[in-house]
Amino acid sequence: MKVLSVVGARPQFVKLAPVAEAFAATEHQHVIVHTGQHYDKNMSDVFFADLRIPAPDVHLGVGSGSHGVQTGSMLSAMDAVLDEHKPDWVLVYGDTNSTLAGTLSAVKMHLPVAHLEAGLRSFNRRMPEEHNRVLTDHAADILLAPTQVAMDHLANEGLSDRARLVGDVMTDVCFRVRDAVTDDSFTLPEGLKRGEYVVSTIHRAENTDDPARLAAIVDGLAAAGAPVLLLAHPRLVAKCAEHGIKLERPDGSLHVREPLAYPEMVAAVLGSAGVVTDSGGLQKEAFLLGRVCTTLRTETEWVETLEDGWNVLTSDVSKLPELAARPVPAANRPMPYGDGQAAGRVVAALAE
Ligand code: UD1
């Protein structure tokens, strides 16, 4: 069997890692296509290096652009790649523009498509990721769902016969890295103490594209009550620069750093008192690593994290002082995201 994985953005490299490892342990051929959606070294290359992912076989070098331009550039480059490799499966991951482009090109060329992380829904049609998920699920031939909730969403849309519950590959990689890192895997910036700081990432259009909202979020983080380690996504940095919003605060309330490599991120979360984010992946990583999370959104695809208050949704940054570093819930954490063996099931489902 020959499987061609299409990836392009940071969360997809994380999901690719356990899948590539599972393929490497078999006779199957695995071709990796990087669209180039994320191109900064710390948004892309470090993930391949640290998570020991083989270098991409093909790099489309597409880069940034409006949704149409970015997705269209990927689409126009994919035909030749699929024509050359003629895979048995095109495997797409998650919900980015790279996911949608990989799916559309494969469908048009009558190649079977498998969607990893199928069935997630925010039910917020203004999110680009929601269009990407829905369109991909309805176009794909096999839907590899991470959770029962995702299976239920697929059933509600009449897609049960294509759906398989495989578990969450992010659990595979998160637990593997958690077991390998030590306290020294991440050097804390001066002024931060283990167990007393909050890790934060902000990148979603709904939080970054309106200058008033963005300024309120940055001020809200600086007033969170615990010092915040803000791992600044390029979109956040670019939008703050465009609108004259200052990120660094001389009082030490906000420590701004570039995005971290995956093992450093896991170590930073393990050393923290909590996470404040609008990222889907980080919400779940906080949960898997047993840290409280405050999600600056009105909805989440990972609803299981909300049970018992491990994750709390709010758009109101004035609530951060009470939420950001709140105590961990007393109840035992449920384990709805699989057993850390999902990638093997992905390979088996495709081979079958
Ligand atoms: C994308 C995904 C989102 C995912 C996120 C993870 C879509 C629609 N969105 O959002 O689902 O959660 O990745 O990070 O696919 N930029 C750089 N260097 C880079 C990458 C981006 O400077 O390596 C800047 C560019 O100015 C670009 C902006 O960040 O315009 C946004 O990048 P883009 O890929 O469009 O979307 P993300 O916000 O990263």
Side-chain angles (χ1 to χ4, degrees), residues 8-12 15 36-44 63-67 70-71 74 94-99 127-130 132-133 203-205 208-209 233-236 238-239 278-281:
R10 182 170 58 173
Q12 294 168 326
K15 291 163 201 158
Q37 174 168 355
H38 285 173
Y39 43 85
D40 284 354
K41 190 168 179 287
N42 60 13
M43 296 290 284
S44 173
S64 303
S66 66
H67 290 297
Q70 189 178 57
T71 312
M74 295 173 195
D95 57 17
T96 74
N97 291 340
S98 299
T99 316
M127 285 177 72
E129 293 83 0
E130 185 73 355
N132 292 339
R133 293 180 193 119
H203 77 276
R204 283 200 188 280
T208 55
D209 290 5
H233 187 285
R235 175 194 280 274
L236 176 81
K239 293 285 176 185
D278 61 6
S279 151

Side-chain angles (χ1 to χ4, degrees), residues 195-216:
E196 294 180 12
Y197 64 91
V198 169
V199 172
S200 183
T201 74
I202 303 292
H203 77 276
R204 283 200 188 280
E206 69 219 59
N207 284 330
T208 55
D209 290 5
D210 169 26
R213 172 83 186 138
L214 180 58

